[in-house]
Amino acid sequence: MKIKLLLLMTSLFFNFGYSQKKSVTPKIDINGVWTDINSGVSNAVAIISEQNGKVIFSHYLEWNGQKFVESGTGKRIGNTITYTVNVTLPIDGWATAGTHTLILSEDGNTLEGTFVDNKGRNGPIAFKRVR
């Protein structure tokens, strides 16, 4: 009798534990169009694509009427996105490669962080979701 009661209690415990909904925060989708909100740039847009943690980034901007294009790949871990970029349409004097590290805001509408370029410079960089 004690063994049956013990088995019943064990069975109920495990069934109850597995039947409970687990609280998991859904991952925010970053795929889409973002605008570059850094000062001094115009007509600036970024397209971000993520699949299984791999991030593909494309970026176009104009600075003092000069066009600039870069693209790169990287990864996402949680709400941190890190990718390396190569410039395909440079502006004279600007770097031709670098790394961006961005943090996704809690509401999923802003990416803010830093860049480091191949000329040893670094600074802030930020994007706001368009769609």
Side-chain angles (χ1 to χ4, degrees):
M1 181 69 174
K2 288 182 181 180
I3 293 175
K4 287 183 182 179
L5 184 59
L6 181 61
L7 288 173
L8 178 63
M9 295 297 284
T10 303
S11 175
L12 289 173
F13 175 78
F14 282 110
N15 282 335
F16 182 76
Y18 285 112
S19 68
Q20 298 301 305
K21 274 190 168 180
K22 306 297 182 213
S23 175
V24 177
T25 304
K27 189 174 180 180
I28 297 173
D29 183 2
I30 61 169
N31 292 292
V33 180
W34 298 75
T35 187
D36 184 327
I37 55 176
N38 300 288
S39 63
V41 299
S42 59
N43 299 319
V45 65
I47 298 172
I48 300 175
S49 174
E50 178 195 8
Q51 185 174 27
N52 299 322
K54 180 181 179 182
V55 173
I56 300 172
F57 175 85
S58 298
H59 187 205
Y60 172 85
L61 64 86
E62 294 173 9
W63 183 75
N64 290 336
Q66 299 177 73
K67 297 176 181 179
F68 176 85
V69 178
E70 65 183 346
S71 63
T73 59
K75 62 184 176 179
R76 175 181 181 179
I77 299 174
N79 283 341
T80 301
I81 301 156
T82 303
Y83 51 89
T84 57
V85 292
N86 289 303
V87 177
T88 56
L89 183 59
I91 291 176
D92 283 341
W94 284 30
T96 57
T99 301
H100 298 175
T101 301
L102 303 169
I103 306 294
L104 182 64
S105 64
E106 286 187 26
D107 68 3
N109 290 318
T110 307
L111 287 164
E112 293 184 277
T114 58
F115 73 87
V116 177
D117 69 24
N118 64 342
K119 291 190 170 201
R121 296 177 291 198
N122 61 63
I125 189 169
F127 300 92
K128 183 176 173 103
R129 184 187 299 275
V130 174
R131 60 182 94 187

